[in-house]
């Protein structure tokens, strides 16, 4: 049986970064990355942005050139799915029953898109946006699409809607809650994005539940719970992910909606780490209980922590969460976590397409959402990391740079 000193499951952002960080930190043992997709590790954010819009080639979104992995003696074992973990024997088993032994195991499997469970959910023309294959399939059908319905007003739904508008498609976006981005942002930001999408021709409908997807073998429409049928040739479902943690939980790892890890990204199983979208962790910027973060920041930073832990460095995960989203000419940059805010301040004028939403809890700045406001984002970061209290009146005064509060 082949043995690897470090065996990584998942060839996405976190898996790739873990291997890169191990080599960067001088690790000279054997490393393998198992990935169930056929591709070399690639960046996922462009999938709902430039790659979907046809503005970036696949080669441009590779995390490293293909030669990197061989040069670094990292075995990339692609189209290989790990189905079973035996933590007592330090063995993993692939879907085609091959066994591999590990010294350390890093679980970096991300998640699978949550699917609709109504009838018609599997018709041709119903898509998710998680992998290159998803987007290639979707793009191959676009020529015959006049109208697309996007289900879900989170970042992926909104970015997909913006990309489809660029391609000249009619887009109707259905959101079950009464505003877009409801789970991640305050109401002012939601309303701003709704207005922007409408101004770009997206028909946004809020508070709409889905009854079923209509069609025989191919989608012809979406029926809402109010009995209305919206005719379309394509449906994009962006309603979140389910963390891919089945094999680890079956092996006895603690967790539920993700695998529970400590501040060194160790799971409850010996020599097994988990990082990225699948890792349920206590975040010092969160409010209560363990959370999962779905962001490049978290995938990369947790991967670095796991690698350092394996290298014997006693480092703890304590990064400030950050995220970005590009829609039309709007670049949103967020820092901190806004959950549990009790006050929102608007700094700047949304009508000028350059402003920040600042979230406070008990007078402390806990997060910022900055739209075309890179300076606020760069300077506001310290208000969050240093847990600063700032007079709300002053925060909203754009003639005072946020930097000046951070420097006090
Ligand atoms: C369309 C889209 C746009 C996004 N935009 C942004 C953005 O603008 N900014 C941002 O910060 N974040 C963004 N994200 C989120 C970001 O891409 C994720 O947080 C990040 O990819 C998580 O990395 P990961 O390695 O944990 O998971 P992934 O990148 O999903 O990688 C996990 C890999 O493991 C594979 N896998 C799963 N189970 C197994 C198994 N049992 N055996 C082998 N392989 C397995 C999966 O197929 C996948 O290839 C976006 C995500 C998507 C999908």
């Amino acid at each position: 049986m082949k043995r690897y000193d470090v065996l990584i499951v998942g060839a996405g952002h976190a898996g790739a970064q873990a291997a890169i960080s191990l080599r960067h930190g001088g690790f000279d043992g054997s490393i393998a990355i198992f990935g169930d997709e056929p591709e070399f590790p690639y960046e996922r954010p462009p999938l709902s942005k430039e790659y979907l819009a046809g503005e970036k080639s696949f080669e441009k979104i590779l995390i490293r050139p293909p030669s990197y992995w061989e040069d670094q003696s990292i075995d990339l074992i692609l189209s290989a799915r790990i189905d079973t973990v035996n933590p007592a024997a330090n063995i993993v088993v692939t879907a085609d029953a091959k066994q591999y032994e590990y010294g350390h195991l890093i679980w970096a499997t991300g998640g699978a898109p949550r699917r609709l469970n109504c009838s018609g959910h599997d018709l041709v023309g119903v898509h998710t946006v998680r992998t290159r294959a998803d987007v290639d399939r979707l793009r191959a059908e676009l020529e015959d699409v006049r109208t697309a319905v996007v289900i879900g007003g989170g970042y992926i739904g909104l970015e997909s809607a913006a990309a489809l508008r660029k391609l000249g498609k009619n887009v109707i976006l259905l959101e079950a809650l009464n505003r877009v981005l409801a789970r991640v942002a305050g109401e002012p930001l939601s309303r701003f994005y709704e207005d922007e999408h409408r101004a770009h021709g997206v028909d946004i409908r809020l508070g709409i539940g889905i009854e079923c997807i209509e069609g025989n073998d191919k989608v012809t429409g979406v029926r809402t719970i109010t009995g209305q049928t919206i005719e379309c040739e394509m449906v994009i479902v962006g309603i979140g992910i389910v963390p891919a943690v089945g094999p680890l939980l079956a092996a006895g790892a603690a967790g539920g909606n993700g695998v529970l890890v400590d501040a060194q990204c160790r799971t409850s199983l010996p020599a097994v780490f988990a990082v990225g979208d699948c890792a349920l962790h206590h975040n010092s910027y969160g409010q209560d209980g363990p959370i999962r973060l779905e962001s490049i920041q978290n995938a990369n930073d947790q991967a670095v922590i796991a690698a350092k832990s394996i290298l014997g460095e006693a480092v703890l995960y304590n990064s400030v969460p950050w995220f970005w989203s590009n829609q039309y000419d709007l670049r949103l940059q967020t820092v901190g976590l806004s959950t549990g805010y009790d006050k929102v301040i608007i700094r700047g004028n949304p009508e000028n397409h350059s402003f920040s939403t600042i979230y406070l809890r008990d007078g402390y700045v806990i997060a910022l959402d900055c739209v075309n406001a890179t300076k606020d984002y760069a300077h506001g970061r310290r208000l969050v990391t240093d847990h600063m209290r700032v007079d709300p009146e002053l925060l909203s005064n754009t003639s005072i740079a946020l930097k000046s509060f951070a420097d006090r």
Side-chain angles (χ1 to χ4, degrees), residues 9-14 34-37 44-45 47-49 80-82 108-110 129-130 156 244 276-277 294-296 299 323-324:
V9 184
H13 279 272
F34 285 72
D36 62 0
E37 294 182 66
R44 241 165 259 284
L47 293 182
S48 51
K49 307 178 181 74
R81 182 173 185 78
I82 300 296
T109 51
V129 181
R130 180 75 194 179
I156 289 178
D277 284 12
E294 294 169 17
S295 70
I296 297 302
F323 186 84
W324 79 94

Side-chain angles (χ1 to χ4, degrees), residues 8-16 34-37 42-49 77 80-83 107-112 129-131 135 155-156 159-160 241 244-245 247 275-279 293-300 322-326:
I8 300 168
V9 184
H13 279 272
F34 285 72
D36 62 0
E37 294 182 66
Y42 61 92
E43 294 169 20
R44 241 165 259 284
L47 293 182
S48 51
K49 307 178 181 74
I77 301 166
R81 182 173 185 78
I82 300 296
D83 265 357
W107 195 258
T109 51
V129 181
R130 180 75 194 179
T131 63
V135 179
Y155 285 121
I156 289 178
E159 289 180 351
S160 301
I241 64 165
V245 292
V275 291
D277 284 12
C278 69
L293 287 179
E294 294 169 17
S295 70
I296 297 302
Q297 170 276 316
N298 179 65
N300 285 340
W322 57 262
F323 186 84
W324 79 94
S325 173
N326 297 338

Side-chain angles (χ1 to χ4, degrees), residues 168-343:
K169 307 298 172 192
N170 297 327
V171 182
I172 299 159
L173 187 143
L174 307 179
E175 164 57 51
L177 300 176
N178 64 2
R179 61 185 176 94
V180 301
L181 300 177
R183 290 193 185 84
V184 289
E187 185 163 350
L189 198 82
S190 302
R191 298 304 177 211
F192 173 79
Y193 274 96
E194 288 162 11
D195 290 348
E196 281 302 308
H197 277 273
R198 287 184 174 129
H200 281 88
V202 178
D203 178 354
I204 294 203
R205 303 186 195 175
L206 304 169
I208 303 278
I210 308 300
E211 176 70 32
C212 66
I213 309 294
E214 295 183 341
N216 287 325
D217 48 349
K218 199 173 169 331
V219 60
T220 57
V222 174
R223 181 141 37 98
T224 67
I225 46 172
T226 53
Q228 190 200 4
T229 293
I230 304 166
E231 288 182 9
C232 61
E233 296 79 38
M234 176 178 278
V235 173
I236 297 182
V237 182
I239 54 172
I241 64 165
V242 180
V245 292
L248 265 200
L249 296 186
N257 175 33
V259 182
L260 194 62
V261 295
D262 66 12
Q264 285 190 305
C265 296
R266 292 177 193 275
T267 69
S268 60
L269 300 176
V272 180
F273 294 77
V275 291
D277 284 12
C278 69
L280 193 57
H281 66 281
H282 286 275
N283 192 294
S284 49
Y285 293 88
Q287 215 190 358
D288 21 54
I291 55 169
R292 286 189 307 101
L293 287 179
E294 294 169 17
S295 70
I296 297 302
Q297 170 276 316
N298 179 65
N300 285 340
D301 290 351
Q302 287 192 329
V304 170
I305 294 291
K308 288 190 170 174
S309 303
I310 290 171
L311 288 162
E313 290 179 43
V315 283
L316 302 179
Y317 182 68
N318 190 27
S319 309
V320 64
W322 57 262
F323 186 84
W324 79 94
S325 173
N326 297 338
Q327 298 163 49
Y328 310 112
D329 58 346
L330 307 168
R331 178 159 176 83
L332 170 71
Q333 293 168 289
T334 82
V335 59
L337 295 176
S338 59
T339 34
Y341 67 88
D342 52 29
K343 197 170 186 61

Side-chain angles (χ1 to χ4, degrees), residues 114 127-128 150-154 156-157 236-240:
R114 194 178 292 284
H127 296 273
T128 53
V150 175
I151 298 178
I156 289 178
I236 297 182
V237 182
I239 54 172

